Amino acid sequence: MHKSLPAQTTETIENDWLALFDQAPLGARTAVRDIIATHREAMADAFYERMMQDPEARAFLSSEVVHERLHASMQRWLTTLFSCETREQFLTAMAMQRHVGEVHSRVDVPVNIVARGARVLKNRIGGYLARSPLGRDELVEAVIYVDSLIDLAFEVMSSAFVASHERTARIDEAYRSFSSGQNMSLERERQRSALLDWENRLLQTVMTGQPGDDLPSVSGSSFGLWMQHKASALFRGASEHATVRKLMRSIDETLLPLCAQQLGAGNLSEVRHLLKQVQAEVGELKFLIESMFEHLVDLESGKDALTQLLNRRFLPAILARECEITRSEGKPFALLLVDVDHFKHINDAHGHQAGDRVLQQVAAILQNSVRSGDFVFRYGGEEFLIVLVEMDHTRAMRVAEKIRTRIAAEPLLISNGGQLNVTVSIGVAMHDGHPDYQRLVNRADGALYRAKQGGRNRCEPDLPDANA
């Protein structure tokens, strides 16, 4: 608590609690504590029943795993908050409030939803108190005690929420600045080429395919993945970006299904007509993309100095965005946490310069093993983190295994013409719908730990009940 809140704020909250504790009679405090112990499960039921009636709150509570975990967490929260008897217990309770506030910030739960939940709890506890044997004066003291204690908790929670939200906003803006500082000329040519490649593959499929063959979607192409996942940060706020997404949906959801239907019916003249419409919309896409790139500058900034990968400080912005895409569009993603095996031995035996060269070459292999829409981070030391967008578990494990075998098979160059064979351990975790991205990182870390404990040079999936 002392690390997150200014000392003066901490002292004020602590003093307020001490005053509240001293003012509330022992009988009132005991009655509240006993009510919580007896009815905490029913209170949690009432809390989430009320929340699930609210469309705004349902967006954060629809996942079964979230609901199951939060129900138990709510009961622990009530017990911890209302069982404080010492200063140390209160500080522990307030540390819990700070953690809850930080989680709410990562999940981006609106503060008004939390306030609504606090009101539900106050009313429910008040109802139980009204049916208790407390006398009038003690009943009033107990109600004041409950209201004030929940307000104190909400104050700490809100303070942590605001501080964390401001940090996230600064990081998000920094990532946007970083994105706009890439070599835009090179990126523009890369995406031009990717869009042209998709267009050629579509025409080839139409000309050589059989009736019933699936036509390649533009959203599933390398260009489409880049546009949906990376360009959303790069061109945030640009009016052209929304138009590009609309055109892509028009192609995938209207023109291509019609084209496949006419192709199956053998109506080649109508197919040619539809393809001309596709090409017209692709031409509009190219114009809009050119316009967006013209707004950006050609700078190099914000990369990890050694590997030229993304800096981990951009991870919250990217994971928050991917969680939102999953929540709104149902597109899964995976995390790969990659650790260079026995890296300390490399540094000790060959020197830090050799270690740096190994990391640079591993980074290059990682970057070349994923798609342009994916994200590769230097996570810290000899660890790397990869975000695989629109990826299911089977394919994520396949990518992880491809990376592992490529690195194991490729001798890496060190100084004086020497070579080293290195291996990596990889932990794989799928986003399961839980809106707190830090939980996903922790699960990937747990999978990596098991890969290392299992002998290294292996890929391990996240256990289904991890962090349950």
Side-chain angles (χ1 to χ4, degrees):
M1 179 172 180
H2 293 270
K3 292 181 180 179
S4 293
L5 296 176
Q8 186 175 4
T9 302
T10 300
E11 184 178 354
T12 299
I13 291 172
E14 185 179 338
N15 288 338
D16 287 346
W17 176 76
L18 289 171
L20 174 64
F21 187 81
D22 290 340
Q23 291 167 8
L26 176 60
R29 288 189 276 109
T30 302
V32 171
R33 184 192 63 203
D34 292 346
I35 284 172
I36 297 299
T38 303
H39 301 290
R40 62 188 180 186
E41 185 174 355
M43 290 180 194
D45 287 338
F47 178 87
Y48 286 111
E49 182 181 352
R50 173 63 183 84
M51 291 295 101
M52 292 302 289
Q53 294 172 5
D54 190 325
E56 189 178 14
R58 262 202 312 272
F60 301 93
L61 301 172
S62 57
S63 167
E64 182 178 350
V65 65
V66 176
H67 185 72
E68 289 176 355
R69 293 185 74 248
L70 289 183
H71 195 279
S73 296
M74 171 60 70
Q75 295 181 56
R76 286 195 300 271
W77 182 86
L78 287 165
T79 301
T80 301
L81 183 62
F82 287 100
S83 62
C84 298
E85 296 289 339
T86 67
R87 174 182 177 275
E88 288 69 27
Q89 289 174 337
F90 175 73
L91 292 177
T92 298
M94 291 301 102
M96 177 186 286
Q97 315 316 311
R98 185 184 72 250
H99 172 71
V100 171
E102 290 170 348
V103 170
H104 285 172
S105 175
R106 290 198 296 267
V107 176
D108 203 21
V109 176
V111 176
N112 64 294
I113 289 180
V114 183
R116 191 176 306 139
R119 190 174 71 250
V120 170
L121 290 175
K122 286 181 180 181
N123 291 339
R124 181 59 58 136
I125 296 172
Y128 286 119
L129 282 170
R131 295 190 292 273
S132 72
L134 288 175
R136 180 181 179 280
D137 290 343
E138 278 197 326
L139 178 59
V140 171
E141 294 287 356
V143 169
I144 292 173
Y145 173 68
V146 169
D147 283 357
S148 299
L149 191 52
I150 289 180
D151 286 347
L152 272 176
F154 185 72
E155 182 180 339
V156 175
M157 197 185 304
S158 299
S159 178
F161 177 96
V162 171
S164 180
H165 213 270
E166 288 176 349
R167 285 196 302 271
T168 301
R170 289 195 297 269
I171 291 171
D172 192 65
E173 186 58 37
Y175 176 68
R176 184 172 182 272
S177 298
F178 161 80
S179 298
S180 61
Q182 299 302 290
N183 187 329
M184 288 299 107
S185 297
L186 179 62
E187 190 63 61
R188 175 165 47 192
E189 291 306 314
R190 183 183 293 124
Q191 297 313 319
R192 277 176 178 166
S193 176
L195 184 56
L196 179 62
D197 177 66
W198 169 79
E199 193 175 7
N200 289 336
R201 283 193 299 113
L202 172 64
L203 294 175
Q204 184 177 16
T205 303
V206 170
M207 289 188 293
T208 63
Q210 299 298 319
D213 285 354
D214 290 334
L215 300 180
S217 68
V218 65
S219 61
S221 68
S222 179
F223 165 79
L225 292 174
W226 177 85
M227 178 57 65
Q228 294 178 83
H229 295 275
K230 288 191 173 179
S232 60
L234 189 63
F235 301 122
R236 188 181 66 188
S239 59
E240 297 95 338
H241 183 254
T243 306
V244 167
R245 295 291 301 274
K246 183 178 179 181
L247 283 170
M248 289 170 58
R249 286 194 298 271
S250 172
I251 291 171
D252 285 347
E253 298 173 12
T254 302
L255 294 178
L256 292 186
L258 287 174
C259 191
Q261 181 182 4
Q262 296 300 324
L263 192 62
N267 192 345
L268 297 184
S269 62
E270 185 61 26
V271 170
R272 285 193 293 271
H273 175 69
L274 288 166
L275 285 178
K276 286 181 180 178
Q277 292 185 52
V278 170
Q279 289 176 317
E281 297 210 352
V282 169
E284 181 68 12
L285 281 177
K286 292 175 181 176
F287 174 79
L288 291 168
I289 293 164
E290 286 294 318
S291 177
M292 288 190 292
F293 272 110
E294 286 175 1
H295 296 314
L296 302 176
V297 295
D298 181 13
L299 299 170
E300 293 292 335
S301 64
K303 296 177 181 177
D304 174 67
L306 178 66
T307 64
Q308 298 299 293
L309 298 177
L310 282 168
N311 190 299
R312 68 175 290 173
R313 70 192 180 101
F314 297 132
L315 186 61
I318 290 168
L319 289 184
R321 185 174 289 110
E322 290 304 315
C323 286
E324 174 58 30
I325 290 173
T326 298
R327 187 169 67 191
S328 61
E329 302 182 23
K331 296 175 179 176
F333 71 96
L335 287 193
L336 273 55
L337 200 54
V338 183
D339 183 86
V340 179
D341 294 329
H342 304 295
F343 185 72
K344 184 177 185 300
H345 174 73
I346 296 174
N347 279 336
D348 292 343
H350 303 281
H352 288 278
Q353 185 176 6
D356 287 349
R357 295 197 65 181
V358 165
L359 292 178
Q360 288 171 331
Q361 292 169 84
V362 168
I365 293 173
L366 296 179
Q367 191 76 70
N368 291 330
S369 298
V370 299
R371 303 159 300 174
S372 64
D374 299 319
F375 302 88
V376 185
F377 294 84
R378 170 86 180 280
Y379 192 62
E382 67 273 22
E383 285 190 338
F384 301 88
L385 188 145
I386 302 173
V387 181
L388 297 175
V389 304
E390 299 191 26
M391 182 73 66
D392 61 28
H393 179 266
T394 301
R395 292 168 60 210
M397 289 300 298
R398 193 179 302 139
V399 172
E401 186 62 23
K402 179 179 74 171
I403 289 171
R404 186 195 67 78
T405 55
R406 283 189 63 180
I407 292 175
E410 187 168 329
L412 304 183
L413 300 176
I414 57 175
S415 55
N416 301 321
Q419 293 184 340
L420 279 180
N421 288 100
V422 303
T423 61
V424 295
S425 300
I426 305 177
V428 182
M430 289 297 303
H431 179 54
D432 62 1
H434 197 291
D436 183 5
Y437 55 78
Q438 186 57 51
R439 181 173 177 270
L440 179 60
V441 176
N442 293 343
R443 288 171 43 221
D445 188 58
L448 173 60
Y449 176 79
R450 290 191 297 106
K452 292 160 73 173
Q453 290 295 107
R456 294 184 168 85
N457 189 25
R458 59 191 294 140
C459 305
E460 283 287 343
D462 170 47
L463 292 175
D465 60 350
N467 281 1

